[in-house]
Amino acid sequence: MNFYPGPSKVYPQVKDWLNEAYQNDILSIQHRSPKFMSLYESIVKNLQSKHNIPKDYTIFFTSSATECWHILNDSFSTINSYHFYNGAFGKKWLDYRKANYSKTTFGVEFGVNDELEDKFFQQIPQNDYLPNIICLCQNETSNATQISQKRLSEIRQERLNDFIFVDATSSWGGQNLNFQDADAWFASVQKCFGLPAGLGVMALSPNLIEFYKNNNQKIIPKRYNQFSFLIEKANEFQTTYTPNVLNIYLLSKVMEFVPDISLTSQKIEKRATSLYSFLEENNYKLLIENKKMRSQTVFSIELNEPKLSFLKEEAINNNIILGNGYGKWKTNTFRIANFPQHTDKEFEVLKRFLM
Ligand SMILES: *Cc1c(COP(=O)(O)O)cnc(C)c1O
C-alpha cells in the first residue's frame, strides 16, 4: 500500500489498460493520426464534463508540472509575476523564474498557518492597463497546506485585472476546483490521477490566450513548448512533439472511469476529516495547526528521530509505504497521500497500523 504523495499508488486497472494499449496497437500510433486526436478529444470532453473545466478553456499535455512552470515563466517573462508561497514547490517555481527573469519576478512568503489574507496582496500595484501575474500553489505538497477553493474565489474577485496561475498538481482530480477562478491550471498525473509519472496537463482561460496573442503578434515558433505553438496544436487535438502516448491513453481510460469530481471530492473530504480526527485522537502532532489551511489530499505529521525512522521501517514491515518529509520538513515529518485511487479499506489498515 503506497501512501507516498507522488508518485503514489496507481489505479489497479492500470494493469489491464496497459495490456489493452498493447493489444489495440496504441503504443505505435502516430501522434498526428485520427486515433490519437480522438484520444486527446475524449480526455478534453471528460475533463469538461467530469471536472467542470469550462468549454472555452484550452487543454494541453506537457511532460510534467515542472515543465508547466517553465512554459508559464517563459511565456509571460515581461509581465510582473508575484509568487505567493509557503513551501518547497511554490518556492521552486519562484526560483526557476527568478533565475531567468529576475527583474519581473517577486516572491511573497507567507506562514504555513496564514490564510493568505488580503494583506499579502496589498504590495501588488493594481493597474488597469497592465495586468500582473499571481502565482499560487493551491495544494502545497511539501507541507500539506492548501489555499481553499473559497479563498481562491475571493482572490479572483479581488484581482479581476490580473492573471492567476495555479499549481494544482496534488489536488486536481481529487478536489472540486472552480477552474473559472484562475487563468492557468496544471497538474501531473502521478498524484490525483492515479497514473505513472511522465505526463502533465494544463488548462488555460480564453482571456489569458487572448492577452498573449495581442502581445505576441509576430511571434515565430522557436521552441517546441512555446505558448503559441502549444495552443495552435491543442486546437487540433495534437501536440507539438511526439508525446507520451501510452500515458495519454491511460489518462483517457482514467477519465472514462472516474465519477464526477463532486463525488470524488466528497469521498476525499470525508476521509480527510476522519483521518485528521483519528491522528489528533491518537496524539500525532500535525504539522499544520490552522484547520483552514490543512490540505485534503496530503497530510503532514511531525515526528522526530529516531521515532520517525522506526515508524517508517515498521510501516514497510507491514507492507505500507509512508511518504518522507519534503524540503524544510524532510527530517521531522512524514506524509500521507489521500488520493482518489486509495480505498477506504486501505485507510482502515493504515489507521490500525498507526493506532
Ligand atoms: C509533485 C509536484 C510538482 C512537480 O511535479 P513533477 O511531475 O515532478 O513535475 C509540482 N508542484 C506540486 C505542488 C507538486 O506536488
Side-chain angles (χ1 to χ4, degrees):
M1 278 176 291
N2 187 353
F3 291 100
Y4 221 104
S8 196
K9 181 193 174 187
V10 298
Y11 279 107
Q13 288 87 341
V14 166
K15 189 174 171 227
D16 295 331
W17 295 334
L18 284 171
N19 246 318
E20 230 178 273
Y22 181 82
Q23 309 246 312
N24 296 346
D25 277 337
I26 294 294
L27 301 181
S28 54
I29 59 170
Q30 302 297 315
H31 64 294
R32 307 263 173 254
S33 67
K35 208 165 175 180
F36 177 80
M37 288 159 69
S38 76
L39 277 182
Y40 192 146
E41 191 175 1
S42 88
I43 295 171
V44 169
K45 290 246 157 77
N46 278 322
L47 285 171
Q48 289 167 343
S49 66
K50 294 183 176 180
H51 288 180
N52 306 321
I53 298 188
K55 289 215 163 68
D56 54 2
Y57 274 48
T58 299
I59 295 169
F60 56 73
F61 304 117
T62 64
S63 62
S64 63
T66 300
E67 191 188 10
C68 296
W69 290 339
H70 282 279
I71 291 169
L72 292 170
N73 290 351
D74 293 343
S75 308
F76 298 93
S77 58
T78 59
I79 312 295
N80 284 347
S81 184
Y82 292 83
H83 294 245
F84 296 85
Y85 67 96
N86 71 3
F89 287 103
K91 179 151 194 312
K92 241 189 222 181
W93 185 3
L94 163 73
D95 288 344
Y96 281 133
R97 173 145 172 152
K98 230 184 191 162
N100 290 294
Y101 313 110
S102 62
K103 285 205 179 105
T104 55
T105 307
F106 308 92
V108 183
E109 187 170 10
F110 62 105
V112 293
N113 289 302
D114 282 329
E115 287 161 41
L116 196 52
E117 298 92 340
D118 292 345
K119 65 177 185 208
F120 290 101
F121 292 91
Q122 275 156 13
Q123 51 197 301
I124 314 183
Q126 292 249 30
N127 183 331
D128 283 350
Y129 302 101
L130 195 64
N132 302 290
I133 292 167
I134 292 172
C135 294
L136 306 171
C137 191
Q138 193 271 326
N139 199 69
E140 177 51 78
T141 321
S142 67
N143 56 26
T145 56
Q146 68 155 347
I147 302 168
S148 69
Q149 178 50 62
K150 183 170 163 280
R151 185 69 192 118
L152 271 185
S153 298
E154 289 166 6
I155 297 169
R156 169 78 291 172
Q157 288 315 310
E158 286 155 19
R159 311 296 309 192
L160 286 169
N161 292 331
D162 294 334
F163 289 117
I164 301 175
F165 296 173
V166 178
D167 180 337
T169 305
S170 53
S171 52
W172 182 352
Q175 274 201 278
N176 198 349
L177 299 165
N178 184 1
F179 285 85
Q180 301 274 12
D181 286 336
D183 299 287
W185 296 83
F186 54 88
S188 286
V189 298
Q190 74 273 21
K191 312 274 167 87
C192 291
F193 288 92
L195 289 174
L199 183 68
V201 200
M202 179 132 81
L204 305 172
S205 76
N207 284 349
L208 181 69
I209 291 178
E210 191 188 288
F211 174 83
Y212 176 83
K213 284 187 176 156
N214 289 340
N215 288 279
N216 297 280
Q217 292 197 338
K218 273 183 278 176
I219 209 143
I220 305 154
K222 283 186 198 138
R223 288 169 39 165
Y224 79 99
N225 63 2
Q226 194 157 327
F227 220 56
S228 50
F229 196 23
L230 289 166
I231 294 161
E232 179 195 318
K233 285 288 153 204
N235 288 334
E236 302 165 9
F237 299 116
Q238 289 190 16
T239 54
T240 59
Y241 64 103
T242 320
N244 186 342
V245 175
L246 174 57
N247 228 339
I248 290 173
Y249 177 76
L250 295 176
L251 182 59
S252 78
K253 287 289 170 186
V254 164
M255 287 313 301
E256 255 171 47
F257 163 81
V258 293
D260 192 272
I261 192 67
S262 60
L263 294 176
T264 306
S265 67
Q266 266 172 33
K267 174 178 109 168
I268 296 286
E269 279 165 28
K270 195 169 153 218
R271 218 158 51 192
T273 307
S274 146
L275 190 64
Y276 275 123
S277 331
F278 167 88
L279 290 167
E280 285 182 328
E281 280 159 20
N282 286 275
N283 300 315
Y284 284 95
K285 189 174 181 314
L286 290 157
L287 178 65
I288 308 304
E289 275 156 21
N290 183 346
K291 288 189 175 153
K292 284 192 189 153
M293 286 303 290
R294 285 180 185 166
S295 165
Q296 302 295 297
T297 51
V298 183
F299 294 70
S300 178
I301 299 108
E302 257 188 270
L303 196 63
N304 288 313
E305 293 294 1
K307 282 185 182 162
L308 181 62
S309 296
F310 178 73
L311 183 78
K312 282 192 286 197
E313 255 175 53
E314 266 303 290
I316 288 169
N317 293 338
N318 283 273
N319 204 17
I320 292 170
I321 300 171
L322 298 171
N324 289 339
Y326 194 95
K328 195 153 75 173
W329 302 277
K330 198 175 173 68
T331 56
N332 69 336
T333 62
F334 68 94
R335 292 176 302 156
I336 296 168
N338 174 26
F339 292 163
Q341 61 271 31
H342 291 114
T343 62
D344 288 349
K345 218 168 161 185
E346 286 172 323
F347 270 88
E348 290 316 310
V349 175
L350 177 67
K351 281 180 183 168
R352 243 175 285 137
F353 167 73
L354 291 172
M355 229 181 254

